[in-house]
Amino acid sequence: MTDFDSKLEHSVSAELYRDPRVDSTEIAVSVHDAVVTLRGTVGSLGAKRAAGNLAERVAGVRSVHTELEVRLLTEHRRDDAELRATVLQVLSWNASVPEDVDAAVKDGVVTLKGKVDYRFQRDEAEASILNLHGVREIRDELEVRNTWLADDVRERIEQAFRRNVQVAADGIRIEVVDGTVTLEGTVDSWMERNTAIDAAWTAPGVQDVDDKLVIAG
């Protein structure tokens, strides 16, 4: 392991240790060429996602592989039918989630199905159920309707980049084909990458964003 990788490993471990959402003693951190791998077990899907996000925040990290297993405590395990009923109820409470969003549950894995008009509605549906007891994983099969693709979608995304101080627009190339936006180039951090992807989703009619951005090493 290089000195840089060793420092990254220490920094990621420290980031996990400081956050009460995760039990850092259950997570093993390894780093190779600035790529972080997280292994071990966590008690919830929310903790798994939090661990990955925390690792991404560390300066110098190029990529994060989250190989954590969600191992539910006995008291948190739920029958699939019961869990599905709870998921549908929670989704119905969120005004940002369309009524026709459905869910299937098998062995604690929740699959979201249906169509939404905007990407943020898809994000809201997932966020609503992320920390429910009994959820081991979420599979997002929600489709963003392609009701109208703006003629100037590329220009709209470029303008969104320029409005955001966290995105260096000159380093990102944009291609739009049949509702799919492809982002290529190099960014300085995961925050810049995530902000760029969020900006691309704001253009009307975008159905998918193909992330080919590289974190500068």
Side-chain angles (χ1 to χ4, degrees), residues 95-97 116-125 144 201:
S96 296
V97 179
V116 296
D117 292 319
Y118 303 97
R119 186 270 181 93
F120 84 87
Q121 294 172 321
R122 199 171 76 180
D123 293 343
E124 283 285 341
V144 179
W201 272 110

Side-chain angles (χ1 to χ4, degrees), residues 24 28 41 49 63 73 76 96 131 169 172 178-179 181 184 199 204-205 210:
S24 61
T41 59
R49 297 285 181 87
S63 182
L73 297 175
H76 293 164
S96 296
N131 288 297
I172 301 176
D178 296 331
V181 176
E184 295 183 290
D210 185 6

Side-chain angles (χ1 to χ4, degrees), residues 2-51:
T2 65
D3 288 342
F4 183 71
D5 283 347
S6 180
K7 290 178 181 177
L8 275 184
E9 182 179 303
H10 180 270
S11 296
V12 171
S13 297
E15 195 75 11
L16 296 174
Y17 176 77
R18 285 192 292 265
D19 197 294
R21 293 174 296 175
V22 300
D23 182 357
S24 61
T25 63
E26 299 292 329
I27 300 175
V29 180
S30 60
V31 183
H32 180 69
D33 291 339
V35 176
V36 176
T37 300
L38 303 178
R39 297 184 177 91
T41 59
V42 289
S44 69
L45 180 57
K48 177 180 178 178
R49 297 285 181 87

Side-chain angles (χ1 to χ4, degrees), residues 146-212:
N146 187 15
T147 54
W148 173 67
L149 182 64
D151 294 332
D152 59 346
V153 63
R154 186 173 184 275
E155 289 75 11
R156 288 173 183 245
I157 295 171
E158 289 175 342
Q159 290 172 9
F161 285 174
R162 287 193 289 269
R163 287 194 298 268
N164 199 308
V165 296
Q166 294 175 338
V167 179
D170 293 340
I172 301 176
R173 298 182 298 279
I174 305 168
E175 182 180 4
V176 183
V177 179
D178 296 331
T180 296
V181 176
T182 300
L183 302 179
E184 295 183 290
T186 302
V187 293
D188 293 330
S189 67
W190 278 93
M191 180 178 293
E192 184 177 350
R193 167 193 171 272
N194 292 338
T195 302
I197 293 171
D198 289 342
W201 272 110
T202 62
V206 172
Q207 282 189 295
D208 194 18
V209 175
D210 185 6
D211 168 29
K212 295 184 178 179

